[in-house]
Every structure is written in structure tokens, then in C-alpha cells.
Amino acid sequence: MSITKAEIIHLGKLSNISLNDQQLTNLNQDLENIISYISQLDELNTEGVEPTYQCFDMANVWREDEITEFEANREDLLALSADTANHQIKVPKVL
Amino acid sequence: MKVANKTTKAVDLVQAALSKIEEYKYYNIFISINADSALQQAAKIDQRIANGEKVGKLAGVPYALKDNFLSREGKTTAASRMLKDFAAPITATAVKKLEEEGAIMIGRTNLDAFAHGSSTENSYFGPTLNSQDQTRVAGGSSGGSAVAVALGIVPFALGSDTGGSIRQPASYNGVVGIKPTFGTVSRYGVVAMASSTDTIGCFANTATDTDLVMSILSGQDPKDPTSLSNFWQNKPKPDQSLRIGLISDFMAEGVDPEVKDCINHCVSKWQKNGHTVENISMPILKYGLAIYYIVQTAEVASNLSRYDGVRYGHRAQDITNLNELYGKSRDEGFMTENNRRIMIGNFVLSSGFFDAYYLKAQKARTLLINAYNDVFKKFDVLLCPVAPSPAFKIGENVNDPLAMYLEDAMSVPPSMAGLPAISIPAGTTKAGLTVGAQLIGARQSDRTLLNLASELAKEPN
């Protein structure tokens, strides 16, 4: 299966990764090879087969809606961000 | 394994491990070392023993932690630039459980960044060398943990296994590695890769040590709704004759003859012990890798979307707008293999391709699970190699991602079905490279696999 440059650029956008031309060319080739390989599933007849999204028949797991203690506090969490001010995380102007 | 008591001091156990870390520095096993804190913890345990207080089952035992487990102690890098300065605000449940039993985390081990890889070459911190041959890969993604146990630095180490990341490096380094039944161990506080197959397990020298560590790690955790109630306390099948199915599809052409010899050697040992071994063909296994590289990449694309450079992780500099911040932070923070998997994942999930790839793979996964269910009506345990060959040369597969993926062909099928699978030392090649045998069982038969494994080797004290 061939993948066009436009499709690779689109995938880069979907993935939110800024890629340069060289990276895009390399990925184009890699993805073509890998997608050709995974396309062998076409040989399998899956008509009428239900998909498996998780392999234990687990249903929703419920818990009481109670406040429990969490080992990290607000300062711990804010400290992880590269740029903060006044207990808030800073990002470039959006609007 | 040696546990601290009145005659064995925890400080000595930790000190011995620290000197070995220094001795084997060249192998690039550890990303960070926890020397001061480890020695302090050891001194406390020795004090408790001296006072006659109760200590845990793993009192003073040093262990190595794959660097994708979060802990408030030190940094959790996932071997990536993205998280190279990430000081986790929480501690993984698995780490807490070991701490409660007195085990001492001595350092964090190398892996393929975000556990994406089969060689530990995709690490931001460089590759880990194989314990038997320094020109070869450690295997991966839990390469550092496997080598740490193989070289005798620690008696056990934690790893994670999504499609073979414990079993394959265990095979390449001649140690026991277990990927338990999906849900056996809480994944709370472990960097997520592919949520429907991620499992936590360990490396050790013997099946008995593995059993002890897993008995501590197992159990339900309210913080991980996929965790199962503890089945490790249930007794394994008694020492009766087991029906072993040798998967003929993975003993065919393309598999290194020396690998086959090692497996056949195990077969004759088990037959001597009164078990029956019969060939079984499972044609669906041919598609296991394709199923895996669709489902896993889709889940990777989703799980890694959280790394946006905003709340935590690497943030690119000189940015003018928010989209640029996301895009550049991700490009700079991820390794090529991370990008590749995210891109494939978004391809198989994107509109127009979803039905043909993602949905198709999940249906094929049902067929795979059904095939296993059928086979387990006839057999108690399945046997095959862990990988088609012993450890390959460093750099050999770096520029051919598909060749790298093919290394996983034998280890991914049980992962897709949530089955327990272990890698046990099965012998060495003429060149001195270790080969692992893979035992696969029905869900929650983990201890039966370990029992069978323990028959192979006369266990050291």
C-alpha cells in the first residue's frame, strides 16, 4: 500500500508532532512497509465476528463517590509544569 | 534470594549491589541510582531486626525498577527526553507493595523510550549491553532490568510487558521473566503504553523467587479498575502429569536451529518427569503480530496524546503559539520509534481506515482468543520459543523497524489474549548466547507455569 506525502503530513497533524521533511520521508517509507505487513489480516474471514476491545469481560467498576486523600498536593502538581505563575500553568496566547 | 536477618545485614546486601552497579557500569543498565536512600532504608531495617521487630518478606532485598514506574523517590524518565526531568508526585502501587515488605529500590533501569522497542536501543540514554555478549542487545523493552538480574546485581527486578517486554529480554539474558495474567498486578503509577495488554511482572533467577515476588505484587487495587482480585493465594495444579502442547508453527522454518534444540531439550526433560508433550498447530498465530501492531499502536497513539508540553514533561523553547508548543515539544520529546507508533496508531484509527484496520484487528483478536480457548480444552500448558533467535547485534535492526517488530512474533499472541506467559532459561547456543523457552497458560494459571519451570533447573539455595 502506498501512502502519499499529503497523507503523511495529515497524520503528522493528527498526531500533533512537528516533523521536518527528512523525518516525513523516512516515516513515509517505514509506514508503507509496516502497513503492507499488517494488511495481511485481509486474508482472515471475520464476517459475523464480534470485536474484542478488552480481553476480560469486565463491566464498569464502580466506587463510592467519596473524597479520599491523594498523595500529591497542588504545589506538587504545578511544580511539574515548565512555566507557571500565580498557581496557574502558563501557555502562549490562545486568542 | 538472601533476605536480611540476624546474620545477614540489609546494609551489606545493599552495599554489595551498589558495588556491582559500579563494576558493571559499562553495560549502561541504570538510568539513575538510589544509593543514599537505599542505604538509609537498609539501616532502618537492620535496626528493626536488632530490636526484634517484625520485618517484611523481602526485608533488605535490593531490587531494580524499570524506569517507567512512578515513585516519589527520584525521577521517572521512561528513558525519554520527554520525561527526563519528571519527578513523579505519586508512587506506583507495585513499588509501595514491595516497600511494605522491606524490599529496597536501588536504582532505575534502562528501557526503550516509553517501552516502545525490543532491544533497549530506543532509549534516550543509549542502549544497554547484553549480559552474555557486549556487542549484542539486551532485548527489550525491559532490557536494563533483565541484565541487572543476569549479572547478579540484584536478585529481582520489576518490568512491564505489553507484547514481550519482559519475556524477550529474559530469554536474551538467561533469567526467568514473567508476564502474568492481564490484571494480576495493579498498573497504577506505571507509564501507560497499550492499556488493553500492559502488564506488570518481574525478572528473577529462579521460579521460586519469581513466585515470591509475584505473590506480593498481586491483588486488586481500587486505583486500577482493571486489577483482578488476588488469585495468587490459590494453590497451583498439584504435581500431576500435565499435558503440554508444543506450538509447531513456532518450531518451523525461520527459527534458529539452536533455539529449537534448546526447546526440544526441555521437552525431553519434562517427558522424563511424566508430562506429555504433543505438537499442536495454531494457524491463527501467523496473524498475531499484525493484530498486535494495529491494536497496540492505536492505544499508544491515544495514551501518548497526554504529552503536550503543558502540564508536565518536556516543553520546547521559543514558541509563538499553542499548536507549535504541542508539535515541537512532542517532536523534541519523543524518539523516532515513538513517533512511528503514534503515526501508525492514528492511521489505523483515522476515518476511512478504521474499519479496514482497527476494527478488523479487534475481530481477528476474537478469533485468536477463541483459538486459545479451544486449545486449552486439550492442553494445560503451551510451549514455544520466546523469540526466533538469540540476542541480535546492536544496530542490526535499527534501520528496519519491521524486522525489529518481527522479533515479537512469538511473544505478542498471548498478550493479545491476556494470558500468562513466562520465559525460562532453556539452554545456550554454541556461541554462549542464552535461549528462553516460553510457557503459556490459561488465565490465572500463572503458578502452574512457574511450577513446571521449576522442574527444569535444580534450584540454587
Side-chain angles (χ1 to χ4, degrees):
Chain A
M1 152 149 202
S2 70
I3 298 172
T4 63
K5 180 127 190 219
E7 280 172 324
I8 281 287
I9 291 171
H10 178 61
L11 277 180
K13 277 195 187 135
L14 286 178
S15 306
N16 239 329
I17 307 174
S18 308
L19 298 163
N20 63 34
D21 266 0
Q22 188 56 52
Q23 287 173 303
L24 287 169
T25 308
N26 294 347
L27 280 164
N28 203 338
Q29 186 61 52
D30 292 345
L31 262 63
E32 276 188 10
N33 291 342
I34 294 162
I35 289 160
S36 298
Y37 178 82
I38 61 180
S39 297
Q40 64 172 294
L41 288 189
D42 291 346
E43 298 164 23
L44 273 178
N45 181 4
T46 52
E47 219 182 293
V49 178
E50 286 294 314
T52 298
Y53 295 108
Q54 43 103 346
C55 39
F56 276 66
D57 305 319
M58 276 184 289
N60 284 335
V61 178
W62 302 100
R63 60 166 173 79
E64 291 304 313
D65 188 18
E66 286 168 346
I67 298 170
T68 52
E69 211 171 298
F70 185 56
E71 58 190 302
N73 59 31
R74 184 170 67 170
E75 275 63 41
D76 289 340
L77 298 174
L78 282 167
L80 298 173
S81 180
D83 201 1
T84 59
N86 306 323
H87 297 299
Q88 292 178 66
I89 291 170
K90 278 171 80 177
V91 290
K93 209 168 158 185
V94 178
L95 290 173
Chain B
M1 86 176 95
K2 273 192 189 159
V3 180
N5 52 35
K6 286 221 159 98
T7 48
T8 307
K9 287 221 173 321
V11 166
D12 292 340
L13 294 176
V14 167
Q15 200 65 262
L18 289 170
S19 350
K20 280 192 176 155
I21 289 179
E22 197 53 39
E23 184 185 343
Y24 294 117
K25 219 172 178 176
Y26 180 71
Y27 286 80
N28 196 29
I29 300 164
F30 288 87
I31 291 176
S32 59
I33 297 156
N34 212 17
D36 293 345
S37 153
L39 284 167
Q40 281 166 16
Q41 289 173 57
K44 271 188 201 157
I45 286 171
D46 286 336
Q47 193 56 54
R48 288 175 69 96
I49 292 171
N51 295 346
E53 290 170 50
K54 197 176 178 292
V55 289
K57 290 177 196 150
L58 295 175
V61 178
Y63 77 97
L65 184 66
K66 185 177 182 181
D67 204 12
N68 60 349
F69 284 73
L70 274 58
S71 160
R72 287 187 69 109
E73 182 104 49
K75 285 172 184 163
T76 300
T77 68
S80 67
R81 184 179 181 198
M82 182 64 86
L83 294 179
K84 82 175 170 49
D85 298 313
F86 180 67
I90 59 161
T91 298
T93 300
V95 173
K96 274 193 184 156
K97 284 189 165 188
L98 291 175
E99 221 173 77
E100 282 161 15
E101 292 296 340
I104 297 173
M105 196 268 276
I106 196 151
R108 291 156 165 280
T109 56
N110 201 9
L111 62 147
D112 291 293
F114 290 100
H116 299 176
S118 314
S119 67
T120 312
E121 290 168 288
N122 293 326
S123 165
Y124 179 63
F125 303 97
T128 295
L129 311 184
N130 185 281
S131 59
Q132 322 293 316
D133 178 345
Q134 296 178 359
T135 65
R136 291 177 188 270
V137 299
S141 65
S142 315
S145 284
V147 176
V149 173
L151 292 176
I153 296 172
V154 284
F156 78 94
L158 287 199
S160 60
D161 187 316
T162 303
S165 283
I166 289 175
R167 288 162 285 156
Q168 187 250 30
S171 171
Y172 284 7
N173 292 285
V175 295
V176 177
I178 182 166
K179 177 214 105 64
T181 300
F182 181 81
T184 304
V185 181
S186 167
R187 302 179 295 178
Y188 177 74
V190 181
V191 177
M193 178 183 161
S195 302
S196 81
T197 69
D198 283 347
T199 56
I200 306 308
C202 70
F203 297 89
N205 290 304
T206 66
T208 311
D209 285 354
T210 308
D211 190 58
L212 171 63
V213 174
M214 291 305 294
S215 72
I216 290 162
L217 294 174
S218 302
Q220 202 154 33
D221 177 10
K223 289 171 176 166
D224 177 0
T226 64
S227 59
L228 302 171
S229 61
N230 194 341
F231 63 86
W232 214 269
Q233 59 220 1
N234 305 341
K235 284 206 164 63
K237 281 201 172 189
D239 289 337
Q240 59 186 35
S241 164
L242 293 175
R243 298 163 303 171
I244 303 170
L246 177 62
I247 302 175
S248 55
D249 314 76
F250 289 155
M251 291 290 280
E253 229 174 294
V255 180
D256 188 313
E258 287 195 276
V259 169
K260 286 194 249 184
D261 288 348
C262 288
I263 302 297
N264 286 326
H265 183 64
C266 297
V267 166
S268 41
K269 271 197 176 175
W270 278 317
Q271 280 172 329
K272 269 185 206 152
N273 286 355
H275 306 291
T276 61
V277 182
E278 210 181 297
N279 282 325
I280 170 77
S281 172
M282 297 179 69
I284 185 83
L285 293 179
K286 179 185 160 197
Y287 302 101
L289 193 70
I291 300 171
Y292 177 74
Y293 270 92
I294 293 172
V295 174
Q296 173 255 113
T297 53
E299 295 183 15
V300 160
S302 167
N303 272 328
L304 270 66
S305 64
R306 72 190 70 192
Y307 301 104
D308 56 5
V310 175
R311 292 154 301 152
Y312 50 84
H314 174 75
R315 184 186 287 206
Q317 297 300 305
D318 303 322
I319 292 298
T320 54
N321 64 60
L322 192 59
N323 276 332
E324 200 187 342
L325 185 151
Y326 295 148
K328 274 200 171 170
S329 300
R330 284 165 71 76
D331 176 41
E332 291 173 6
F334 290 142
M335 306 289 282
T336 305
E337 181 58 22
N338 306 133
N339 290 345
R340 217 178 260 137
R341 293 192 185 201
I342 292 168
M343 300 271 278
I344 299 166
N346 281 323
F347 172 82
V348 299
L349 288 172
S350 59
S351 70
F353 297 108
F354 179 88
D355 285 358
Y357 291 96
Y358 185 71
L359 191 61
K360 179 85 183 177
Q362 299 288 38
K363 287 179 177 177
R365 184 181 193 177
T366 305
L367 297 177
L368 177 71
I369 293 171
N370 292 347
Y372 274 123
N373 289 342
D374 279 348
V375 166
F376 283 123
K377 284 177 192 154
K378 202 177 163 200
F379 295 101
D380 301 303
V381 175
L382 297 175
L383 167 68
C384 65
V386 176
S389 61
F392 48 90
K393 291 267 185 191
I394 290 172
E396 195 176 319
N397 289 330
V398 164
N399 296 319
D400 188 351
L402 188 56
M404 189 74 96
Y405 295 175
L406 288 168
E407 293 294 325
D408 301 342
M410 296 171 175
S411 58
V412 298
S415 297
M416 294 313 299
L419 306 175
I422 63 175
S423 172
I424 51 172
T428 48
T429 64
K430 285 189 198 87
L433 302 173
T434 58
V435 171
Q438 183 174 210
L439 291 173
I440 302 158
R443 289 171 194 168
Q444 307 194 1
S445 70
D446 308 45
R447 298 193 74 191
T448 304
L449 305 182
L450 287 172
N451 254 10
L452 193 56
S454 65
E455 287 181 22
L456 274 191
K458 216 176 167 197
E459 307 242 320
N461 293 324

